[in-house]
Every structure is written in C-alpha cells, then in structure tokens.
C-alpha cells in the first residue's frame, strides 16, 4: 500500500489522524460493557430494531443497519426524528424494541425529543454517543461511549470512525459472529495503515469538478454516503452517493465526459457486478477513481491504495479513514477551509 505521513496542518486532519488510537482505546474500555449489552439484546430477541440519527450520524446508522441485518439477522428501520419530535406519533409497536440513538453531542433537540417519545412507547434506548454527560446519555437505558475525545472541527471525522467501530463491536457481541469478533483485534492496525494511505493523486482529478458520484454497496454504501456528505461540507462539491447496483437505474445518465466517479468497492459478495459497472462509466468518459480488489477496479483511471485482506466490515471503515485525508487535501486545493465550512455548526439545533 502506497503510504505517507499525513498532512496535519488542519484540525480536521489532526482529528482524523487520532481515530485509530481512539478506536483501539474504545474497544478496550468498552469490552465488558458491550459484551453485557450484546448478551442483553440476545435475550431480548426483538423482532426488529430501529436507528435514530441525523447528518454523519445517520450515515453511521446506515452502517449499523447493514451490520445488524447482515450479521445478526435483525431487520432495522430508520426512525425519522420528526415522527417523535414534531408529530409525537411513535408507534406503540416500539414496545421492547431497541432504538439505537446515535449522536456525537447527544444534545440535538429533535433527536432528544424523538428518543423521549420512543421511550414513552416502551422502546429500549441505546445511545452511542461521544458526550456521556449529555441529555441523550441520561435518558438512555444502555450507553455505549464512542470515546473519540473532544472534536472541534465542524466536519466530524474521528467521532464518525469511532461510532462505526462501536457499531461493529455491538453487532459482533450481539450476533456472536466469530469472524466479526476476531476482526475487532485488528482494528487499530488496519486503521493506522489506512490513515497513512496516500490518496492525494485523486485531488487533481476532482479539484475542478462541479459534480460527482460516490459509489458503494453492502458495507461501503454508508461509507459512500458519508464521503459524499463530506465533499459537500468541506469542498462545496455537489457529490451524491448511490449503490453501485442502483446507480444504473437513472443516475448514471447524469455523468458526463471527465466527471469524476469515486467507487468505494466492498470486499464481500456486494462486489458482484462492480467490474462491469465501472467499465460502463469509463466508456462514458468518466474519471473513475476506485479502491478495492484489483480485478474489480481494473477499469478505473486511478486505483487507490486500500486493504483487500481485512474483514469486509473493517475494510469499509478503513476506506473512510483514508478518504478523510483526501477530503482535507481537496478542500484546501479548492481554496476552502475544511475546519470551518460556511453556514454549518458543530451541533445542529432543529426540532
């Protein structure tokens, strides 16, 4: 893997570089807590679970949905915060249902109101939160700290990665999936390697773009969603995330000659059809940039260094770790400050 020492001149870059250590520390500190939570959820044996989140945390929730459905066999729905915060209409079917409320700050009014409404219906609130002194942590029955440490850059990085790791940990203990449990031990090393992966060659292909697609599928679909969100936030670039299977159903027509397409290829069965899809984009003149198995991304103009030997779930987390370095460099190359995106605040207060 082509690597270099990351550029740490911005707060965003410095905080992203902390993620491997923070994630390793989290797994150690949360070991007993998450083991107990997983056992409790197995005993509960709910017919489904729900997630509750906004922004980057909602991308993490999408990752959690994939994990629980794929590895624990638990259907997961995304509970819209407004159903509880504005309509006060959380279903009584939430009785005994785990609701994974995901937030860095644990202070967004709409999330708190929705969690409170779900709790009134008998839901089991499971908070994955960075601030364990927050109101969300106080109302939750199970609190899983993500232990990312203080994060001041508006663009969340280490808190997002640590949340993904916490979701992987919870799913592994809930499902008792042997391969996923074993992957936890490799987390720090894999993320350290990903933090050093050099994706800077992609900057020249994206610097002058006005729009782009980001593709993922299976474990990387939510990763693509987070990448597209960060490109909007830090580079003011209209990036949209799609499943590599779904993109052929219309969005593909939006891609013109020289438009960049970033493919974050999964390492599991979701690889199916990706090779042909990227060849289609290349034939249309798109600038395909991709990370994944060599045979899946052979049509790409630029092949990014990435692990192809880690567990597919951990490899997906590693991709966003590497992406943050690229996003930071791209923002600067486009004349922006990645630490202070316009019109955004660290805690978004809506109801």
């Amino acid at each position: 893997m082509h690597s270099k020492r990351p550029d740490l001149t911005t707060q965003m870059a410095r905080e992203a570089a902390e993620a491997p250590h923070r994630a390793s520390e989290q797994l150690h500190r949360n070991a007993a807590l998450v083991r107990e939570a997983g056992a409790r959820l197995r005993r509960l044996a709910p017919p489904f679970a729900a997630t509750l989140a906004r922004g980057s945390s909602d991308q993490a929730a999408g990752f959690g949905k994939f994990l629980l459905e794929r590895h624990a066999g638990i259907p997961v729905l995304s509970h819209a915060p407004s159903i509880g915060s504005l309509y006060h209409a959380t279903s009584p079917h939430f009785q005994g249902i785990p609701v994974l409320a995901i937030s860095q700050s644990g202070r967004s009014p709409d999330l708190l109101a929705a969690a409170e409404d779900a709790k009134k219906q008998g839901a089991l609130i499971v908070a994955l939160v960075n601030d364990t002194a927050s109101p969300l942590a106080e109302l939750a029955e199970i609190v899983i700290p993500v232990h990312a440490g203080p994060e001041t850059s508006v663009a969340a990085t280490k808190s997002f990665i640590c949340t993904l790791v916490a979701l992987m940990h919870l799913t592994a203990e809930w499902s008792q999936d042997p391969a996923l449990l074993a992957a936890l031990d490799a987390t720090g090393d894999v993320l350290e390697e990903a933090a050093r992966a050099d994706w800077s060659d992609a900057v020249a292909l994206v610097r002058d773009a006005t729009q782009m697609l980001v593709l993922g599928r299976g474990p990387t679909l939510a990763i693509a969603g987070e990448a597209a969100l960060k490109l909007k936030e830090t580079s003011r670039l209209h990036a949209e995330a799609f499943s590599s299977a779904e993109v052929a159903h219309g969005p593909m027509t939006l891609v013109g000659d020289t438009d960049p397409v970033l493919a974050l290829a999964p390492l599991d069965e979701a690889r199916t059809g990706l090779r042909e899809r990227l060849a289609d984009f290349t034939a249309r003149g798109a600038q395909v940039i991709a990370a994944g198995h060599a045979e899946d991304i052979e049509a790409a103009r630029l092949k990014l260094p990435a692990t192809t030997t880690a567990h597919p779930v951990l490899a997906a987390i590693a991709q966003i770790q590497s992406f943050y370095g690229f996003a930071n460099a791209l923002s600067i190359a486009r004349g922006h400050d990645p630490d202070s995106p316009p019109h955004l605040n660290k805690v978004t207060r809506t109801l």
Side-chain angles (χ1 to χ4, degrees):
M1 181 184 291
H2 183 203
S3 65
K4 70 172 185 178
R5 184 181 297 275
D7 178 359
L8 303 181
T9 55
T10 67
Q11 188 67 11
M12 176 183 173
R14 288 190 292 272
E15 289 176 349
E18 291 180 28
H21 170 71
R22 296 285 187 177
S24 294
E25 185 179 60
Q26 175 208 119
L27 289 169
H28 175 71
R29 295 174 68 178
N30 285 357
L33 182 157
V34 176
R35 189 179 306 117
E36 181 181 334
R40 179 177 178 179
L41 291 165
R42 282 199 306 280
R43 291 193 300 270
L44 183 64
F48 69 96
T51 61
L52 182 62
R54 292 280 197 202
S56 285
S57 293
D58 198 37
Q59 302 301 336
F63 191 73
K65 172 183 171 66
F66 168 80
L67 289 175
L68 289 173
E69 293 187 345
R70 168 67 180 84
H71 295 280
I74 305 294
V76 179
L77 64 85
S78 175
H79 184 48
S82 60
I83 294 297
S85 67
L86 293 181
Y87 299 108
H88 307 292
T90 304
S91 170
H93 293 296
F94 271 48
Q95 173 72 41
I97 296 301
V99 174
L100 276 62
I102 303 173
S103 171
Q104 178 197 337
S105 70
R107 299 177 185 279
S108 298
D110 57 345
L111 207 70
L112 290 169
E116 288 170 354
D117 203 54
K119 189 173 183 177
K120 288 177 183 176
Q121 294 295 346
L124 174 67
I125 306 300
V126 181
L128 290 93
V129 64
N130 198 32
D131 184 354
T132 55
S134 64
L136 179 61
E138 290 175 4
L139 70 82
E141 193 162 344
I142 296 174
V143 178
I144 300 177
V146 303
H147 292 302
E151 187 175 61
T152 58
S153 176
V154 172
T157 53
K158 63 177 179 174
S159 64
F160 181 77
I161 291 170
C162 287
T163 300
L164 299 189
V165 171
L167 287 164
M168 180 175 73
H169 193 184
L170 179 62
T171 302
E173 291 290 357
W174 188 344
S175 67
Q176 290 295 286
D177 181 308
L180 202 55
L181 284 165
L184 296 173
D185 292 336
T187 298
D189 290 342
V190 170
L191 293 183
E192 286 285 3
E193 184 179 20
R196 294 191 299 269
D198 185 3
W199 284 21
S200 60
D201 286 348
V203 171
L205 298 179
V206 182
R207 182 177 52 232
D208 299 323
T210 57
Q211 64 176 16
M212 69 181 292
L213 298 184
V214 186
L215 307 182
R217 194 181 185 191
T220 66
L221 180 57
I223 304 304
E226 165 65 3
L229 180 60
K230 282 295 180 290
L231 290 169
K232 294 185 185 79
E233 286 180 343
T234 61
S235 283
R236 304 189 208 181
L237 174 57
H238 185 194
E240 295 296 336
F242 289 96
S243 161
S244 57
E246 186 67 26
V247 74
H249 295 273
M252 203 164 180
T253 62
L254 298 174
V255 177
D257 191 39
T258 74
D259 282 342
V261 174
L262 174 61
L264 302 175
L267 302 187
D268 64 1
E269 297 89 333
R271 297 167 55 198
T272 302
L274 180 63
R275 177 179 177 176
E276 293 77 15
R277 185 72 67 239
L278 297 188
D280 288 343
F281 275 112
T282 297
R284 291 167 180 259
Q287 306 269 25
V288 177
I289 305 161
H293 282 296
E295 59 268 33
D296 294 337
I297 64 172
E298 64 178 8
R301 173 170 177 180
L302 177 61
K303 299 169 182 63
L304 301 170
T307 180
T308 56
T309 58
H311 188 288
V313 170
L314 185 52
I317 301 174
Q319 286 184 349
I320 200 64
Q321 176 78 70
S322 299
F323 170 85
Y324 285 142
F326 159 70
N328 179 75
L330 179 65
S331 176
I332 294 169
R334 287 169 67 94
H336 304 307
D337 178 359
D339 290 337
S340 302
H343 316 302
L344 296 177
N345 297 302
K346 191 62 179 169
V347 179
T348 301
R349 301 189 179 278
T350 57
L351 190 65

